[in-house]
């Protein structure tokens, strides 16, 4: 976990980190939304289809298996406007994990899930796709430290 006191320092550090890990980056951020006119499964499958030329049928089956881990197969055909914030977060996380050897970055996850009291939801969600992820990093504001149960000096 990386905590920052200001928007500028967070954004500068995040931009540098993203540039450094560009080839394996899986970003979960409001700045990188799902494509609104595609169903969830297609949003997620696009990553493997683009990078690995995975056929639609195989990609769809793979995505449905991943959604099953979250007990969310029912959202596969939904558009983003029909999702709860938890479903949206999980769909974005699964999409990020689809990058081969993913370096997943959760960019200010409490902006996506502002009403969650702590980071347990993020931690649980990351565990469900940990076999697909090489690394996971969280960038957030120092004022959110308590919600992560982090102590001073806590980093990755």
């Amino acid at each position: 976990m990386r905590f920052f006191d200001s928007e500028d320092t967070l954004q500068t550090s995040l931009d540098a980190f993203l540039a450094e890990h560009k080839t394996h980056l899986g970003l979960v951020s409001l700045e990188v939304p799902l494509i609104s006119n595609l169903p969830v499964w297609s949003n997620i499958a696009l990553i493997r289809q683009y990078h690995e030329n995975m056929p639609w049928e195989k990609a769809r089956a793979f995505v449905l298996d991943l959604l099953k881990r979250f007990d969310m197969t029912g959202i596969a055909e939904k558009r983003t406007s029909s999702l709860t914030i938890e479903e949206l977060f999980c769909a974005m996380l699964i999409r990020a994990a689809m990058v081969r050897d993913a370096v997943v970055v959760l960019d200010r996850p409490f902006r996506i899930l502002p009403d969650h009291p702590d980071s347990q939801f993020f931690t649980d969600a990351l565990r469900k796709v940990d076999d697909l992820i090489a690394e996971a990093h969280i960038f957030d504001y120092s004022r959110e430290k308590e919600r992560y149960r982090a102590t001073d000096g806590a980093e990755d």
Side-chain angles (χ1 to χ4, degrees):
M1 284 176 258
R2 298 170 190 214
F3 297 103
F4 303 89
D5 291 328
S6 73
E7 177 72 27
D8 290 340
T9 56
L10 188 153
Q11 196 61 52
T12 300
S13 181
L14 180 61
D15 290 345
F17 187 89
L18 299 180
E20 183 180 334
H21 295 88
K22 192 176 188 177
T23 58
H24 295 284
L25 182 67
L27 183 60
V28 178
S29 173
L30 290 176
E31 306 301 318
V32 186
L34 297 175
I35 301 169
S36 63
N37 64 339
L38 292 179
V40 167
W41 80 265
S42 188
N43 262 287
I44 296 168
L46 279 172
I47 303 301
R48 290 279 170 102
Q49 290 172 311
Y50 178 78
H51 290 285
E52 299 176 17
N53 206 19
M54 185 181 279
W56 277 105
E57 302 81 25
K58 186 176 178 182
R60 188 174 195 285
F62 187 54
V63 170
L64 290 175
D65 284 344
L66 292 173
L67 287 170
K68 192 177 203 175
R69 295 180 187 189
F70 290 82
D71 196 26
M72 292 188 178
T73 54
I75 71 168
E77 296 296 335
K78 289 184 176 182
R79 303 287 197 270
T80 58
S81 60
S82 302
L83 301 176
T84 67
I85 56 172
E86 289 82 6
E87 292 168 341
L88 177 64
F89 178 86
C90 291
M92 292 169 71
L93 175 60
I94 296 168
R95 178 186 63 180
M98 292 292 279
V99 175
R100 182 74 61 194
D101 300 320
V103 175
V104 172
V105 174
L106 304 184
D107 172 22
R108 295 162 273 201
F110 285 113
R111 283 180 45 194
I112 302 169
L113 298 162
D115 295 329
H116 279 255
D118 59 39
S119 62
Q120 190 64 50
F121 185 84
F122 315 138
T123 305
D124 292 345
L126 282 166
R127 282 191 186 112
K128 292 176 183 176
V129 290
D130 66 354
D131 58 315
L132 301 174
I133 296 173
E135 300 174 25
H137 302 269
I138 299 173
F139 284 70
D140 214 332
Y141 299 112
S142 297
R143 66 179 176 261
E144 300 292 2
K145 259 187 191 179
E146 191 175 300
R147 292 171 88 178
Y148 291 99
R149 297 184 184 108
T151 58
D152 287 337
E155 286 214 8
D156 294 320

